[in-house]
Amino acid sequence: MEENSGRKVDMADCCSPEERRVTPLEANAPLEPRTAVERSTQGAHGARAANGPAPAAPANDVPVPGGTFAMGDPFNEGYAADGESPVHQVRVTGFRISATTVTNESFAAFVEATGHRTESELYGTSAVFHLAVKAEKHQILNRVSNVPWWLNVRGADWAHPAGPLSHWTDIPDHPVTHVSYNDALAYCAWAGRRLPTEAEWEYAARGGLPGQRYPWGNELHNNAPGTTAHNCNIWQGEFPARNDLDDGYLTTAPVMSFAPNGYGLYQTSGNVWEWCSDWFLPKYYTTCLTAGTVEDPQGPTIGRGRVMRGGSYLCHDSYCNRYRLAARSSNTPDSASANLGFRTVAL
């Protein structure tokens, strides 16, 4: 397999690589037209698509009471380029958010109702972790530049999360992956919902525990001495060659595999990255601090990508300590990978 070259790769690529690379064979292949749902989606708070049917079932929402919290990293453990500091005060109005990320089964209902084609399907490829690929050799096109554990696989998409030899029906209760920010908006338009803002996400993810590293407290393993009970789905072992599977999972876990936080949200640390509505701008927190207590911030008006939160099953403190609640990352709106999903908020 030939390694890609010619694109600068930053730390975020370790988390979820930017955009699918177009191979010489694909360069002249026309993209199919976007669906009506994609065309009708407007912004992060888009309403249900005009003629789109209602969801097959209501979302598993939990209420999050309004309040003020300290947003950002109080331990100074984050990457400087991510802009996790300074810590600043944010006031959030109460809202309802899905207890879990959107599952394969729920996304399948959306696709069945609308005929939506994800951007991974339109591109024809998406990124899969090298130890998890289920594809023929000729379907593995190349490695992602500078992060060779990501493979560009033809036919990998939400319905085939590990590649063409896998299928979502084998893991219906796992989070849907290979969905871009734009795909997430299309789902929200159909469901009459929206993506959370970054402030809403962190406030809800904390579950009422102020200033903690994780939804359950400050220690990764908050259990009795001599035991190692896992609270989330992240990497154990030597990244990226060996995963000891101590938590039971190589890649995604079912969305309710670990205990919920104080507000009833599951897996806001690990499992899959989650799209937020905000643009990503590292200096944004400095602007917020200057403004004093910020009420329901919507994020900056410009940025180099959209915010992702929560970390994923690939996070490991040796290279990507982003499963902490304050951790942030970003990607381009058309990017997708096998560790990137989303949850939604009620309008």
Side-chain angles (χ1 to χ4, degrees), residues 80-343:
D82 288 351
E84 291 183 30
S85 61
V87 174
H88 55 286
Q89 295 296 307
V90 174
R91 183 175 296 121
V92 177
T93 302
F95 60 101
R96 297 184 65 84
I97 188 169
S98 56
T100 71
T101 52
V102 174
T103 64
N104 284 317
E105 185 174 31
S106 295
F107 199 81
F110 157 61
V111 170
E112 176 67 21
T114 64
H116 178 80
R117 298 283 306 283
T118 62
E119 294 196 287
S120 292
E121 291 171 285
L122 297 177
Y123 278 106
T125 71
S126 193
V128 180
F129 183 66
H130 73 119
L131 296 182
V133 172
K134 295 182 179 179
E136 301 289 352
K137 186 175 181 180
H138 70 274
Q139 294 167 326
I140 303 173
L141 303 181
N142 45 28
R143 296 183 183 270
V144 177
S145 176
N146 292 349
V147 280
W149 49 86
W150 281 115
L151 303 181
N152 192 25
V153 179
R154 187 190 298 277
D157 53 49
W158 79 269
H160 308 90
L165 300 182
S166 64
H167 200 268
W168 75 266
T169 52
D170 295 327
I171 48 172
D173 57 347
H174 286 228
V176 68
T177 57
H178 298 286
V179 286
S180 69
Y181 176 85
N182 298 323
D183 294 324
L185 290 186
Y187 178 94
C188 288
W190 169 73
R193 299 178 66 80
R194 62 178 175 85
L195 293 176
T197 66
E198 184 178 18
E200 287 173 334
W201 190 96
E202 183 173 327
Y203 181 63
R206 291 188 175 279
L209 287 180
Q212 304 294 296
R213 286 187 178 91
Y214 310 111
W216 54 86
N218 276 332
E219 300 301 322
L220 186 59
H221 302 293
N222 60 339
N223 40 274
T227 64
T228 311
H230 290 275
N231 295 306
C232 63
N233 176 18
I234 56 176
W235 187 274
Q236 300 93 41
E238 183 180 347
F239 188 87
R242 190 192 78 253
N243 190 332
D244 295 334
L245 304 181
D246 290 341
D247 62 12
Y249 304 100
L250 173 63
T251 60
T252 57
V255 295
M256 300 176 76
S257 295
F258 299 89
N261 71 7
Y263 290 149
L265 278 73
Y266 289 84
Q267 300 195 88
T268 53
S269 284
N271 212 24
V272 293
W273 284 98
E274 301 178 26
W275 287 114
C276 293
S277 63
D278 302 38
W279 285 106
F280 180 80
L281 196 66
K283 65 181 181 181
Y284 179 62
Y285 282 14
T286 300
T287 302
C288 291
L289 181 66
T290 302
T293 299
V294 185
E295 296 192 18
D296 293 321
Q298 302 297 303
T301 57
I302 58 172
R304 68 184 190 204
R306 295 289 181 173
V307 170
M308 307 186 311
R309 283 300 205 113
S312 83
Y313 57 81
L314 293 181
C315 280
H316 188 272
D317 61 8
S318 67
Y319 90 105
C320 179
N321 185 19
R322 289 190 176 98
Y323 46 92
R324 297 166 296 103
L325 289 172
R328 327 169 63 213
S329 192
S330 67
N331 217 329
T332 56
D334 67 338
S335 291
S337 62
N339 67 337
L340 178 53
F342 67 105
R343 76 177 70 215

